[in-house]
Amino acid sequence: HASAPPPVADVRLGGWTKARVGWSITGAIFLLWALWAFIDNGTLFVALLGAGLAKGAVVSLAAVGFIMIMKATGIANFAQGDLITIGGFLGLWATSKVLPAHDGLGLSLGVGYLLVLGIMFVLGIVIERVAYAPLSKRTHDVHVVVIATLGVAIILRTLMAVWQGTEPRFLRSWFNTGEDLDGFLVFSNGVLRINIGFLGIDDAVISAQRVVIMVVTAVVVLLIMGLFSRTSFGRQVRAIAADRETARLYGVKASRMSMLSFGISALLAGLAGIMIGPLGSFDLTLGFSYMLLGFAAAVLGGFGSLGGTV
């Protein structure tokens, strides 16, 4: 097939496209606003910046989950939000024996959370086998499969409500007040306090759990980027994203790639749920807002650029 002609730069804008000019103006306005907010109250600005970056980190995990499945299958998995919720509920079930956890295992945080991530990976594969694989063989209409993922989300939420109830939950963390690492390194009583006198920052407080979220997300995103760029799995998924039928002719097992993509995506959602849980109480609607924001981030990133999406 003939390739599309390359876009011709608009010389009236000095070689810049209208979109680039628009985003540049938007970025400049944002930076000016941020500078004004910092000058107005530097302590509050730093505290809110920490909270915003932590929330953005969780949104990034949700968005990366969308991208992985989109690359491997060409569909958007709208069960991603409820998978985040399930991660939080399973985290409580695995690490607690007291109410509101039902049938809790009472495992240590490390063992319990690793068990949850394993369960989430398997659950992702089950969703692929039940909701995606049968329909993809019967129809080429992606909208049918997308609606099926919404159905899966409703089923998962209902089953979790029947099993664990609808009461608000709260997860433990190593870094919360009174836990093992509440005074680890720069943390004190479960928080990070920032004091920079000459900048007017006086005792800005950021929760230790939010710092952990940012660090863990950065590590995970770097690992996912390495997975896509330096492994056979990543090359095969990128080949499927470029041309599914040609990739299959070259021996790429598309069904196996879609299973692994669903599994990794669910694992990321479970990790997000575990990290959000200790920030405050949560219920069955925990993951919905993060799913919407994650989808928006994936759209802005073009469903292709992990770095742009993050």
Side-chain angles (χ1 to χ4, degrees):
H1 298 284
S3 59
V8 179
D10 190 341
V11 294
R12 294 172 297 174
L13 299 175
W16 283 32
T17 63
K18 293 181 180 179
R20 187 178 179 185
V21 171
W23 280 111
S24 298
I25 293 173
T26 303
I29 293 173
F30 173 78
L31 290 176
L32 289 173
W33 169 82
L35 181 62
W36 171 81
F38 180 80
I39 294 173
D40 182 62
N41 190 333
T43 301
L44 179 62
F45 180 83
V46 171
L48 293 179
L49 180 64
L53 287 175
K55 182 165 185 174
V58 178
V59 171
S60 296
L61 289 179
V64 170
F66 271 115
I67 290 174
M68 291 204 67
I69 294 180
M70 177 62 73
K71 281 181 173 290
T73 66
I75 68 163
N77 177 23
F78 285 105
Q80 194 74 5
D82 286 278
L83 289 173
I84 293 175
T85 304
I86 289 175
F89 272 76
L90 288 181
L92 183 70
W93 163 77
T95 59
S96 177
K97 283 188 175 181
V98 298
L99 291 176
H102 299 287
D103 306 318
L105 301 180
L107 301 173
S108 65
L109 293 184
V111 175
Y113 291 163
L114 285 175
L115 174 64
V116 171
L117 295 180
I119 293 174
M120 294 301 298
F121 181 80
V122 174
L123 179 59
I125 293 177
V126 171
I127 292 174
E128 193 275 341
R129 290 287 89 190
V130 172
Y132 170 74
L135 290 176
S136 65
K137 296 175 182 177
R138 298 177 188 174
T139 179
H140 294 290
D141 188 353
V142 296
H143 299 93
V144 175
V145 186
V146 170
I147 294 300
T149 65
L150 289 172
V152 169
I154 296 172
I155 292 171
L156 291 175
R157 186 183 305 183
T158 305
L159 291 177
M160 189 58 60
V162 170
W163 178 40
Q164 288 293 318
T166 58
E167 300 90 349
R169 294 327 203 245
F170 180 83
L171 274 181
R172 293 169 55 206
S173 167
W174 291 282
F175 298 91
N176 284 355
T177 304
E179 297 291 350
D180 297 340
L181 299 177
D182 66 345
F184 180 70
L185 294 178
V186 296
F187 302 125
S188 176
N189 295 324
V191 298
L192 171 65
R193 298 182 182 277
I194 301 175
N195 292 280
I196 307 176
F198 70 93
L199 290 178
I201 301 173
D202 182 25
D203 204 26
V205 176
I206 301 176
S207 166
Q209 183 64 23
R210 297 186 192 278
V211 178
V212 170
I213 289 174
M214 288 184 271
V215 172
V216 171
T217 300
V219 172
V220 170
V221 169
L222 290 175
L223 290 175
I224 295 296
M225 287 182 173
L227 182 69
F228 272 113
S229 62
R230 299 181 179 274
T231 66
S232 175
F233 169 80
R235 288 190 291 271
Q236 292 181 67
V237 169
R238 284 186 286 123
I240 293 174
D243 191 326
R244 188 178 185 87
E245 294 305 320
T246 303
R248 294 179 68 177
L249 290 174
Y250 273 88
V252 175
K253 297 185 181 299
S255 60
R256 181 183 299 175
M257 293 300 105
S258 63
M259 287 172 58
L260 290 174
S261 296
F262 267 85
I264 295 174
S265 176
L267 186 150
L268 294 176
L271 179 62
I274 289 172
M275 292 195 298
I276 300 169
L279 293 177
S281 61
F282 61 92
D283 55 21
L284 290 171
T285 63
L286 169 68
F288 182 75
S289 62
Y290 287 99
M291 179 194 70
L292 293 181
L293 292 172
F295 185 73
V299 171
L300 286 175
F303 278 108
S305 170
L306 286 176
T309 297
V310 173

